[in-house]
């Protein structure tokens, strides 16, 4: 009869450091947490995902005339609502929710943990990307099914769709984080951000044909990214011939890229100089 002996397990040193997760894993986990929290807020989901679709249904029922040969108002409006959806998922969403987290002390607790600060920002970015992709896909599906929107037929237009959306979301995300510092309390976040978003929509060629707006309004709107997001997306979903209807007689994709990239830089500078982890009463 043979007996087997087992070696005792090596003692665990309580002072030994725990295995550290990689930076990428931390960012993905934070992104998953942010997305989960967003999905649990039914009001935010309904407003962010449903508002652009509701607006398309309303305006398409009211306005059905052609604004140019082969281009209906509905087609024009849909491109603007895609840009608005991207802005809502980034600028408006972050500008409202970050003050709530700051007021509740969530950001203060994050700041006191050993987790790198950039991981929190990475989580917000991943949430914005996920929401933007889902919302854009939903808008395109509804528009193709109900309003005969034609999807881009060439790889070049899909590429333009990609970089305009990417630069636009990046600029709006950074600006959303920056403007969140203007809200003193959780309740004031919506009061600060919503009027800005609405004014930009009315002046940037979302609800009205941009060239029908007063010239001074066009000049003011041209200072902000939403106008250029709308113009870039019109080059994707509207015929090339519609370019002559733009203020300069073309879609000016080069200028679209420059302005959106410039706003990415401006937004980053504003984030670095204005972002606050605590409320003013916390000191």
């Amino acid at each position: 009869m043979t007996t087997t002996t087992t070696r005792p397990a090596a003692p665990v040193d309580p002072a030994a450091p725990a295995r550290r997760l990689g930076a990428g894993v931390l960012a993905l986990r934070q992104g998953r947490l942010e997305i989960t929290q967003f999905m649990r807020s039914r009001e935010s989901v309904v407003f962010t995902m449903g508002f652009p679709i509701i607006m398309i249904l309303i305006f398409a029922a009211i306005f059905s005339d052609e604004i140019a040969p082969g281009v209906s108002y509905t087609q024009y409006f849909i491109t603007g609502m895609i840009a608005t959806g991207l802005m809502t998922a980034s600028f408006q969403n972050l500008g409202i929710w970050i003050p709530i987290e700051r007021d509740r002390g969530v950001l203060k607790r994050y700041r006191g943990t050993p987790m790198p600060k950039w991981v929190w920002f990475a989580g917000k970015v991943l949430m914005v990307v996920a929401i933007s992709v889902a919302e854009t896909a939903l808008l395109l599906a509804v528009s193709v099914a109900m309003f005969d929107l034609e999807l881009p037929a060439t790889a070049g237009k899909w590429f333009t769709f990609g970089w305009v959306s990417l630069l636009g979301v990046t600029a709006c995300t950074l600006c959303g984080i920056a403007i969140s510092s203007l809200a003193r309390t959780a309740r004031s976040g919506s009061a600060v951000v919503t009027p800005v978003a609405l004014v930009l929509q009315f002046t940037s060629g979302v609800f009205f044909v941009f060239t029908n707006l007063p010239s001074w309004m066009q000049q003011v709107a041209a200072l902000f990214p939403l106008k250029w997001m709308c113009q870039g997306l019109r080059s994707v979903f509207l015929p090339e011939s519609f370019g002559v209807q733009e203020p300069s007689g073309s879609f000016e994709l080069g200028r679209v890229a420059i302005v959106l990239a410039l706003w990415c830089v401006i937004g980053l500078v504003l984030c670095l100089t204005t972002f606050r982890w605590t409320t003013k009463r916390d000191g």
Side-chain angles (χ1 to χ4, degrees):
M1 179 177 179
T2 60
T3 59
T4 59
T5 59
T6 58
R7 295 181 179 179
V12 178
D13 183 3
R19 182 176 63 89
R20 293 185 177 182
L21 297 176
V25 175
L26 285 174
L28 290 175
R29 288 190 175 185
Q30 184 65 26
R32 183 176 61 183
L33 174 62
E34 296 288 348
I35 295 171
T36 302
Q37 291 177 339
F38 172 80
M39 296 302 296
R40 288 177 177 174
S41 177
R42 296 181 180 179
E43 297 83 359
S44 297
V45 174
V46 171
F47 176 80
T48 304
M49 306 295 287
F51 174 76
I53 295 176
I54 293 173
M55 296 303 295
I56 289 176
L57 294 175
I58 293 175
F59 275 77
I62 299 174
F63 305 103
S64 58
D65 298 335
E66 282 192 348
I67 60 174
V71 179
S72 67
Y73 173 82
T74 302
Q75 291 174 299
Y76 182 95
F77 183 66
I78 287 173
T79 61
M81 288 313 298
I82 293 174
T84 296
L86 296 175
M87 184 184 71
T88 301
S90 51
F91 174 79
Q92 201 162 351
N93 188 28
L94 295 178
I96 292 174
W97 276 102
I98 290 178
I100 295 176
E101 294 183 357
R102 182 185 295 118
D103 201 50
R104 291 176 178 175
V106 175
L107 299 189
K108 185 178 181 179
R109 292 194 293 272
Y110 267 117
R111 189 182 185 185
T113 66
M115 183 181 72
K117 305 302 181 291
W118 67 265
V119 172
W120 180 83
F121 291 100
K124 293 295 185 186
V125 170
L126 290 175
M127 177 193 67
V128 167
V129 170
I131 297 172
S132 299
V133 171
E135 184 172 25
T136 301
L138 183 60
L139 278 172
L140 291 178
V142 171
S143 301
V144 170
M146 300 183 64
F147 304 108
D148 299 325
L149 179 71
E150 293 185 5
L151 295 178
T154 64
K157 286 198 171 186
W158 278 112
F159 177 72
T160 301
F161 183 36
W163 68 255
V164 170
S165 300
L166 178 61
L167 286 177
V169 167
T170 302
C172 289
T173 297
L174 293 170
C175 290
I177 295 174
I179 201 173
S180 69
S181 297
L182 294 179
R184 296 185 177 182
T185 64
R187 294 183 178 180
S188 61
S190 179
V192 171
V193 177
T194 302
V196 175
L198 287 175
V199 169
L200 289 177
Q201 290 173 43
F202 276 100
T203 60
S204 299
V206 175
F207 297 109
F208 308 103
V209 177
F210 187 74
T211 50
N212 290 344
L213 298 174
S215 59
W216 66 266
M217 193 175 294
Q218 295 182 32
Q219 294 172 5
V220 172
L223 298 175
F224 300 98
L226 184 59
K227 181 265 184 185
W228 300 98
M229 292 167 64
C230 293
Q231 185 168 312
L233 292 178
R234 285 197 292 271
S235 73
V236 174
F237 293 99
L238 300 185
E240 293 290 338
S241 59
F242 189 82
V244 299
Q245 305 292 331
E246 299 292 344
S248 64
S250 67
F251 288 118
E252 293 184 294
L253 290 180
R255 181 171 293 183
V256 171
I258 292 173
V259 174
L260 292 180
L262 182 61
W263 266 104
C264 291
V265 175
I266 293 173
L268 180 60
V269 172
L270 290 174
C271 286
L272 295 176
T273 56
T274 65
F275 184 77
R276 294 182 290 109
W277 291 92
T278 59
T279 61
K280 292 184 178 180
R281 65 175 179 269
D282 293 329

